[in-house]
């Protein structure tokens, strides 16, 4: 294991540190027109009540795994801007894509597996922005 690998015993991130990334994640949910249940799954089976508090601007301590997921979601948004330009982000995220074996980006993200988030980010990161 490398020194940069996150350890499960690492301290959670304080609300003040996490708030900007939480706000970005809430905005992405709006841009992508996702339902609360979809975001809860994408964020790793987050408690729905906690997600609703985030949407209301009330951020509490955030664990590092959820913070990592949110950071990857922002990276996905940046990586897929060129690919989603023709349809718009909300429609593109639901479109079945040949490069994802006929699945939509939303299907991949909603699996709840961080590996799928990383796969989606990496698949489109090589495209020119």
């Amino acid at each position: 294991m490398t020194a940069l690998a996150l350890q499960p015993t690492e301290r959670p991130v304080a609300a003040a540190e996490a708030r900007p990334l939480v706000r970005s994640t809430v905005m992405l949910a709006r841009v992508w027109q996702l339902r609360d249940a979809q975001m809860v799954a994408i964020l790793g089976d987050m408690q729905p009540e906690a997600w609703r508090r985030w949407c209301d601007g009330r951020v509490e301590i955030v664990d590092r795994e959820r913070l990592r997921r949110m950071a990857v979601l922002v990276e996905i948004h940046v990586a897929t801007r060129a690919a989603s330009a023709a349809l718009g982000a909300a429609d593109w995220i639901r479109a079945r894509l040949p490069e994802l074996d006929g699945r939509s980006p939303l299907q991949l993200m909603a699996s709840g597996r961080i590996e799928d988030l990383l796969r989606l980010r990496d698949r489109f990161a090589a495209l020119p922005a």
Side-chain angles (χ1 to χ4, degrees):
M1 189 173 267
T2 67
L4 296 177
L6 295 179
Q7 301 297 318
T9 57
E10 286 186 27
R11 71 169 181 79
V13 177
E17 288 180 82
R19 194 169 285 117
L21 197 49
V22 169
R23 277 195 305 259
S24 295
T25 303
V26 170
M27 291 304 297
L28 278 177
R30 291 178 184 154
V31 166
W32 290 336
Q33 299 175 3
L34 300 180
R35 297 186 315 270
D36 289 349
Q38 292 168 315
M39 283 306 296
V40 164
I42 290 168
L43 291 171
D45 289 325
M46 179 179 192
Q47 292 297 316
E49 299 80 23
W51 171 249
R52 284 192 286 279
R53 284 193 301 272
W54 285 11
C55 291
D56 291 338
R58 294 179 287 140
V59 179
E60 58 275 335
I61 291 174
V62 179
D63 66 80
R64 291 196 179 270
E65 174 67 18
R66 199 145 349 267
L67 197 70
R68 182 172 183 224
R69 287 171 179 271
M70 290 188 290
V72 173
L73 288 176
V74 171
E75 292 172 344
I76 287 170
H77 175 65
V78 170
T80 61
R81 283 180 47 208
S84 66
L87 287 176
D91 290 331
W92 182 84
I93 208 88
R94 291 167 175 78
R96 294 182 180 275
L97 304 175
E99 55 264 59
L100 298 177
D101 301 322
R103 296 174 70 191
S104 71
L106 179 56
Q107 286 174 310
L108 202 61
M109 290 190 307
S111 74
R113 295 171 8 110
I114 195 158
E115 295 84 6
D116 287 337
L117 295 177
L118 295 169
R119 178 178 160 216
L120 182 60
R121 179 203 61 195
D122 294 346
R123 173 63 185 91
F124 290 94
L127 296 178

